[in-house]
Amino acid sequence: MHDTSALIEARVRRFVDERLRTNVYLDLEPLTLARWEVPGEPVPFAEAVGQVYEPFVVGTRWGRPWGTTWLRVTGTVPGTTGAELLFDLGFNAAEPGFQAEGTVYRLDGSILKAVEPRNAYVPLEGDAGDTFELYLEAAANPDVADGFRDFRPTPLGELETAGDDPLYVFRQADIAVRDVVVWELLQDATVLLQLMAELSDTPRRAEILRALERMVDAADPDDIAGTAADARAALAEVLSRPASASAHRVHAIGHAHIDSAWLWPVRETQRKVARTFSNVLSLQDESDFIFAASSAQQYAWMKQFQPELFSRMRDAVASGRFVPAGGMWVESDTNLPGGEALARQFVRGKRFFMDEFGVEPLDVWLPDSFGYSAALPQIARAAGSRWMLTQKMSWNETNAMPHHTFLWEGLDGTRIFTHFPPVDTYSAQLTGAELARAERKYAEKGVANTSLVPFGYGDGGGGPNREMVAAAARLRSLEGSPTVTLSSPAQFFETAEAEYPNPPVWSGEMYLEFHRGTYTSQARTKRGNRRSEHALREAELWATAAALRGAEYPYGELDGLWETVLLQQFHDILPGTSIGWVHREAERRYAEVLASTERITVQALRAVAGEGTTELVANAGPYAWEGAAAMGIAVASPIETPPATVARTMGGFDLSNEHLAVHIDESGLITSLIVRATGRETIAPGERGNLLLLHRDTPTQWDAWDIDEHYRRHVIDLTDAVSIDLVPHPTTAIVCVVRSRGATRITQTLSLAADSHALEIETTVDWHERQKLLKLAFPFDVHADRASSEIQFGHVQRPTHTNTSWDMARFETVAHRWVHVGENGFGVAVANDSTYGHDITRATRSGGGTITNVRVSLLRAPLYPDPEADQGEHTFRVSIRPDAEIADAVREGYRLNLPTRTVAGAGPVESLVAVSSDAVVVEAVKLAEDRSGDVIVRLYEAHGGRASATLTTAFDFDSVIETDLLEREVDAAAVTAAALDGTEVTLRPFQLVTLRFANPVLRASSGL
């Protein structure tokens, strides 16, 4: 037979595009429009509906960037069934969620449905002949992404620079009648064309093509409506062929990944959520599918701003159609939040879902975060979660993850059942290409055969549309395709667990070999997060101590402050990858958090310390410092240790105290750092520490997200000093170094305090570079084959060599408050107060062996999406602690981040909680979430070994139990004995434990 398949396919595709698509809607009747331009930020419906509206016609330009236009829409319900409203706000080829969007309101203020690209219809309510009046809130959101064709600087990311010129032309506002038969035919043809494209030269492909040819023959191009049923009949047989028994099985879950901020501000996300959720509820009125949405914060916004919509959501949750997923406050980054903050993501998220819906999500839903901390399995399981879903690891540049379904083992040995959808997207449309990819890539073939596909437009929201649901119906069982079951997260995970009872294990962090710049971009946002986390710890500790003395505990205010911090840990805010608007707002809100926590702390300490004029030292940290016990208050006393000294020499400056001797050369660089007790030198021979390195930073694509390995080949050593001076101080030796490069000015103070085991360096940078990366480097005379880096509730060890492609790809890593490198008998800790990015490598040592280079990433200057990223002044503190073990690194990290404070009071106060072992760290002390007044103490093993300790309290209590993160009792795993004079605990390496002390009563001897 002659091969005419290419011609047939071309004929079919033209027929679909020119005949079917254009005949879905008939009998268009224009709507009458009037508009009101919102002069500033968006307003609620109740305010908008009372404004003066002026006539508006289709074809008019509208919408300044980030502006809002309200349209009054009026018309008459036609007598024909199937009538809908059609709108085109000026939609372009960009993805839904990255351009204009709208929300249609009824006169009572309830949302009818959203209007978005590829989902632009609105159901028409009422009886034939009724007049109707609706209001369309049209958002002129600019396409900041510009299709991600390039990453050029754009002024559109700030309201002040975006301009006022209208962005869009309003193209359509009609009443139209949808021909359901023609629409169904279009869905039949679309699914078959997509499936055919994925099949090779097989009989199945050929029969589909011939059926499509018969479809075209059966349809009269002059009467599509009248012949559509005959055309559908021509496809019925090929659509009825069932899938093979071995076909891959897909669980399709409706979804809309909505970034809580990114290329739009938080206030626009609030409207995106309303639009998406109203779309879902409207579609569920006509189709049967399950929709899963994460992020309790987004539900909370609906409760606050759209209570009627939230009520409908609650009904849908109760019926099982709308499923809260993930259990976290937002889909947070997992590399950068501190341990307690990551725990609170689950505490706040799950409590909201349980309080509002009576539902506890058992899955962790993080498809788009930029790598996954090794602490996450333990935190998730401690929150009661059973399963985890992620997608982002498919973005690895170098190495492919070997599994799609597996057990993920965290740093303490906890495992969680994890799935990584082989469809490689969290915004699937259920196309033939996507399903074929899922089947082709699925790594567990032969032992399992089920995967998850989240379908619905995402990132900027949108969710499923009726075309996707129609595709799912046709693909339920179709020869040549994977089977598709409309499902829920729990249904999928229970099926996958049963199918694959002994999956492989992935141990340790899931490091994303991409987006490494997220550890450094937007330094002010990161500093605000670090400071806020520690300020909240301090506020909760002292507020708890005050509450036990009769003060009121600020439950509501602390909850609100935590929710602000948790929101801003979203995976495009804290990583520094949003438009400037988002980061400027984040900085303002961090300032508000710090002001509020300071007020709470000061008021609480006043109640705890009592009335008096005695100068006291309050220590919120988990280790004794400056004469104050951990989490205690002591009388301030002068330092009895001899002061540190500093002397100018011919070659620079010598700083010295009882523990260290430091030489700083005439360039302000450290050439020697000696431990006096042993004479051991810390700086490698011929090398200099405190070296500022300025690298070219021009990533191949995602500017704010990426640091590419080639940055290392382009570097300038900033060694020239404008000035080097001694700074007088009675007890501390201080040298100040000033450097300048163009408009950038860098001031460093190197300080050695009396009795300190660490040299501290404060670096203030007035930063005016573009596309540069600033690092602070220390070459240590240490032969280390691995580096230890603090993460949540512990630390991980990463190789310093590049033996494998996995090692090579890990050229920029994340650490929290410290990193440690060491050889047998000697190590060095580098602690910081606000940075996260590091690279730690080995190099040849002069005289033999190797040295270990530790470089701390301070600043970047990407141009997209925020062309002003990181410009201006920043301050960083780093300390170098030689002769350090892991225990010393842990102490130093807390010391730098939780400084003591001086208060006036009556006298010393016993620590509210004390622990006998340095290895057991108290991370949080607070009152219970249920407002019972019980005291919650969260602690963990920090050194990486087994540890036993006695925990004593300044209060009596009725009982102590172990709980999960949600403060529900669990079987005892750490407590070995409990009594008023001490609770005995034994922890395995990095174990996280939450203790609940019931009915605490402060002892009279514990303080005032």
Side-chain angles (χ1 to χ4, degrees):
M1 185 171 69
H2 299 296
D3 184 7
T4 59
S5 57
L7 292 173
I8 296 171
E9 184 173 348
R11 179 190 177 209
V12 170
R13 292 188 181 280
R14 182 172 182 181
F15 171 81
V16 169
D17 288 337
E18 293 186 3
R19 302 294 181 178
L20 291 189
R21 295 190 195 283
T22 58
N23 279 278
V24 169
Y25 285 102
L26 301 173
D27 303 328
L28 273 62
E29 180 70 26
L31 293 160
T32 301
L33 305 176
R35 76 169 166 186
W36 172 64
E37 294 283 349
V38 181
E41 283 293 274
V43 300
F45 172 84
E47 181 176 342
V49 72
Q51 303 300 321
V52 176
Y53 284 70
E54 60 184 25
F56 181 81
V57 296
V58 168
T60 302
R61 294 196 68 85
W62 72 281
R64 60 179 172 82
W66 304 115
T68 300
T69 299
W70 282 84
L71 294 167
R72 186 171 62 222
V73 180
T74 56
T76 302
V77 179
T80 311
T81 59
E84 299 176 339
L85 305 182
L86 291 183
F87 294 96
D88 184 342
L89 309 186
F91 301 136
N92 56 45
E95 285 289 308
F98 293 85
Q99 52 178 297
E101 304 171 59
T103 312
V104 177
Y105 290 81
R106 303 178 182 92
L107 271 178
D108 64 1
S110 62
I111 296 177
L112 179 55
K113 185 182 173 293
V115 174
E116 301 185 89
R118 307 178 206 176
N119 195 350
Y121 72 94
V122 176
L124 185 54
E125 299 177 332
D127 297 325
D130 289 350
T131 59
F132 60 87
E133 181 177 329
L134 301 170
Y135 284 81
L136 169 61
E137 180 191 28
N141 299 331
D143 182 12
V144 178
D146 194 23
F148 297 106
R149 290 183 293 273
D150 54 45
F151 297 88
R152 296 176 184 172
T154 173
L156 294 173
E158 294 271 18
L159 188 62
E160 294 78 7
T161 60
D164 295 315
D165 293 339
L167 293 174
Y168 299 101
V169 174
F170 205 102
R171 294 200 188 100
Q172 184 179 22
D174 292 316
I175 302 174
V177 176
R178 180 171 67 117
D179 188 318
V180 176
V181 178
V182 174
W183 183 85
E184 295 283 5
L185 175 59
L186 176 60
Q187 310 317 308
D188 293 343
T190 299
V191 165
L192 289 171
L193 279 167
Q194 291 176 352
L195 173 59
M196 190 178 70
E198 300 305 315
L199 300 174
S200 57
D201 190 12
T202 61
R204 175 63 170 162
R205 186 186 196 284
E207 74 174 10
I208 291 174
L209 180 61
R210 292 297 178 177
L212 288 167
E213 182 182 31
R214 291 192 296 273
M215 171 198 73
V216 178
D217 288 341
D220 182 349
D222 296 324
D223 185 17
I224 295 296
T227 56
D230 293 337
R232 287 202 75 195
L235 300 178
E237 199 277 332
V238 291
L239 282 168
S240 67
R241 295 282 187 89
S244 68
S246 61
H248 185 59
R249 296 183 288 271
V250 163
H251 282 236
I253 299 172
H255 185 49
H257 179 68
I258 307 176
D259 289 317
S260 291
W262 182 25
L263 303 182
W264 47 85
V266 168
R267 65 89 155 150
E268 194 55 36
T269 308
Q270 293 164 357
R271 299 201 295 179
K272 284 177 176 290
V273 173
R275 289 190 284 261
T276 296
F277 288 1
S278 64
N279 274 352
V280 169
L281 294 175
S282 176
L283 184 58
Q284 287 181 332
D285 287 341
E286 59 183 81
S287 305
D288 187 18
F289 70 98
I290 295 171
F291 179 76
S294 70
S295 304
Q297 171 69 89
Q298 296 182 1
Y299 291 75
W301 282 331
M302 295 305 95
K303 182 181 180 182
Q304 179 181 358
F305 299 116
Q306 299 288 351
E308 188 276 336
L309 178 63
F310 185 74
S311 177
R312 286 191 278 150
M313 290 165 54
R314 181 181 278 117
D315 292 342
V317 171
S319 69
R321 295 177 296 128
F322 201 115
V323 177
M328 299 175 72
W329 190 248
V330 295
E331 290 185 16
S332 76
D333 181 81
T334 75
N335 287 314
L336 305 175
E340 187 61 23
L342 200 51
R344 298 296 177 95
Q345 287 284 352
F346 288 94
V347 173
R348 297 301 306 153
K350 286 202 172 191
R351 285 193 68 87
F352 181 90
F353 288 135
M354 293 164 69
D355 290 346
E356 295 296 335
F357 306 118
V359 170
E360 179 183 0
L362 298 181
D363 55 275
V364 181
W365 192 275
L366 287 173
D368 193 32
S369 296
F370 308 145
Y372 302 91
S373 166
L376 189 55
Q378 178 177 204
I379 294 171
R381 293 304 298 269
S385 298
R386 290 175 53 188
W387 312 301
M388 176 170 168
L389 176 134
T390 172
Q391 180 66 65
K392 199 68 172 187
M393 298 305 296
S394 65
W395 286 44
N396 271 5
E397 289 180 309
T398 305
N399 299 282
M401 287 288 290
H403 317 298
H404 284 109
T405 301
F406 56 98
L407 293 176
W408 180 23
E409 181 180 276
L411 81 167
D412 76 314
T414 298
R415 294 177 176 181
I416 188 168
F417 189 88
T418 301
H419 183 65
F420 167 35
V423 72
D424 276 3
T425 179
Y426 48 76
S427 301
Q429 299 170 47
L430 297 181
T431 66
E434 290 167 343
L435 297 178
R437 179 168 65 242
E439 183 171 62
R440 183 173 63 251
K441 287 195 168 187
Y442 184 64
E444 320 307 318
K445 294 183 184 73
V447 290
N449 198 26
T450 305
S451 71
L452 186 152
V453 173
F455 71 93
Y457 292 115
D459 285 328
N465 61 15
R466 59 189 176 192
E467 286 77 13
M468 298 176 196
V469 177
R474 287 157 175 79
L475 293 163
R476 186 179 59 81
S477 179
L478 183 61
E479 183 186 356
S481 170
T483 63
V484 174
T485 300
L486 291 173
S487 187
S488 69
Q491 184 180 344
F492 163 75
F493 277 111
E494 288 170 353
T495 300
E497 277 187 317
E499 177 185 67
Y500 204 14
N502 295 299
V505 177
W506 178 272
S507 181
E509 68 181 333
M510 286 195 281
Y511 175 88
L512 180 63
E513 297 172 356
F514 205 44
H515 291 359
R516 303 167 182 91
T518 58
Y519 314 146
T520 304
S521 294
Q522 297 287 0
R524 291 186 190 88
T525 300
K526 291 174 168 60
R527 183 174 187 82
N529 175 73
R530 180 78 69 86
R531 297 274 63 75
S532 295
E533 289 178 343
H534 290 81
L536 279 163
R537 171 204 169 99
E538 191 174 16
E540 287 183 336
L541 170 68
W542 298 127
T544 301
L548 291 178
R549 289 164 169 79
E552 184 176 353
Y553 189 81
Y555 289 104
E557 187 172 10
L558 286 169
D559 285 349
L561 295 172
W562 267 115
E563 287 172 9
T564 294
V565 172
L566 298 179
L567 165 60
Q568 295 183 169
Q569 290 176 342
F570 176 72
H571 65 250
D572 276 307
I573 302 179
L574 184 52
T577 53
S578 290
I579 56 175
W581 186 342
V582 172
H583 291 289
R584 256 41 99 213
E585 181 179 18
E587 291 158 25
R588 288 193 297 272
R589 299 194 73 188
Y590 282 131
E592 293 167 359
V593 169
L594 293 173
S596 296
T597 52
E598 179 67 14
R599 175 176 44 76
I600 292 170
T601 295
V602 169
Q603 290 176 350
L605 281 171
R606 192 175 295 130
V608 174
E611 296 293 333
T613 58
T614 303
E615 185 178 336
L616 305 172
V617 175
N619 176 19
Y623 296 105
W625 189 248
E626 294 184 357
M631 295 169 287
I633 301 175
V635 176
S637 57
I639 299 175
E640 299 179 357
T641 304
T645 62
V646 59
R648 190 183 297 267
T649 68
M650 289 292 294
F653 301 87
D654 287 334
L655 291 71
S656 180
N657 68 5
E658 284 190 326
H659 307 293
L660 300 176
V662 185
H663 181 72
I664 299 171
D665 70 10
E666 62 276 7
S667 297
L669 303 177
I670 302 168
T671 58
S672 178
L673 176 54
I674 294 174
V675 179
R676 295 185 65 184
T678 62
R680 173 64 187 261
E681 175 64 73
T682 307
I683 303 299
E687 304 288 342
R688 297 187 293 178
N690 191 41
L691 177 62
L692 290 161
L693 305 173
L694 190 68
H695 293 269
R696 181 194 300 175
D697 185 21
T698 53
T700 303
Q701 38 185 334
W702 300 83
D703 284 26
W705 293 256
D706 289 350
I707 291 176
D708 289 350
E709 190 275 338
H710 56 72
Y711 86 88
R712 290 176 168 170
R713 301 199 288 270
H714 309 280
V715 61
I716 299 171
D717 294 354
L718 301 183
T719 56
D720 293 340
V722 174
S723 64
I724 306 179
D725 297 298
L726 298 177
V727 178
H729 191 278
T731 61
T732 301
I734 305 174
V735 172
C736 179
V737 184
V738 178
R739 308 184 195 279
S740 182
R741 182 184 185 274
T744 294
R745 187 176 178 87
I746 304 173
T747 302
Q748 290 186 298
T749 55
L750 293 84
S751 305
L752 184 63
D755 200 34
S756 175
H757 290 266
L759 176 69
E760 193 166 310
I761 303 169
E762 182 178 274
T763 303
T764 298
V765 186
D766 188 8
W767 183 244
H768 297 284
E769 303 291 335
R770 304 284 180 175
Q771 294 188 298
K772 297 293 189 291
L773 168 63
L774 182 66
K775 284 181 172 278
L776 181 61
F778 300 94
F780 295 131
D781 194 12
V782 172
H783 176 71
D785 61 353
R786 62 188 182 273
S788 299
S789 300
E790 189 192 31
I791 62 169
Q792 303 90 348
F793 303 123
H795 58 270
V796 294
Q797 295 181 337
R798 304 180 179 111
T800 58
H801 55 69
T802 55
N803 282 358
T804 70
S805 59
W806 297 87
D807 301 331
M808 181 274 293
R810 202 181 291 109
F811 58 79
E812 181 83 3
T813 57
V814 65
H816 284 198
R817 290 168 292 212
W818 56 266
V819 297
H820 178 273
V821 294
E823 59 187 41
N824 186 30
F826 186 83
V828 185
V830 179
N832 72 83
D833 77 334
S834 61
T835 55
Y836 295 89
H838 296 74
D839 76 278
I840 303 174
T841 58
R842 304 169 77 177
T844 301
R845 180 183 185 275
S846 175
T850 64
I851 66 172
T852 303
N853 285 309
V854 175
R855 291 181 285 259
V856 182
S857 298
L858 300 182
L859 286 166
R860 301 186 65 217
L863 300 180
Y864 181 85
D866 176 13
E868 296 299 314
D870 286 325
Q871 298 300 297
E873 188 168 297
H874 307 263
T875 298
F876 309 93
R877 291 171 65 211
V878 169
S879 71
I880 312 303
R881 169 60 155 98
D883 199 21
E885 298 180 351
I886 292 293
D888 301 307
V890 175
R891 275 181 173 271
E892 190 65 15
Y894 277 104
R895 181 191 72 80
L896 211 58
N897 285 272
L898 270 169
T900 61
R901 62 170 67 219
T902 302
V903 298
V909 180
E910 181 185 353
S911 300
L912 194 63
V913 176
V915 182
S916 64
S917 170
D918 281 0
V920 179
V921 173
V922 173
E923 183 68 1
V925 179
K926 58 186 282 291
L927 292 191
E929 294 284 322
D930 62 7
R931 304 195 177 190
S932 62
D934 291 355
V935 172
I936 302 298
V937 177
R938 189 136 40 240
L939 45 85
Y940 70 101
E941 196 290 315
H943 297 170
R946 297 187 181 274
S948 297
T950 301
L951 186 146
T952 56
T953 67
F955 53 85
D956 292 333
F957 50 89
D958 289 348
S959 63
V960 56
I961 59 171
E962 290 183 46
T963 73
D964 64 8
L965 292 180
L966 274 69
E967 300 164 11
R968 302 172 296 196
E969 185 172 6
V970 297
D971 293 339
V975 174
T976 56
L980 290 179
D981 60 351
T983 300
E984 304 293 331
V985 295
T986 299
L987 276 67
R988 65 179 185 272
F990 303 127
Q991 184 178 355
L992 174 63
V993 176
T994 302
L995 302 177
R996 180 170 185 145
F997 295 86
N999 299 318
V1001 178
L1002 195 70
R1003 298 190 192 108
S1005 61
S1006 66
L1008 298 179

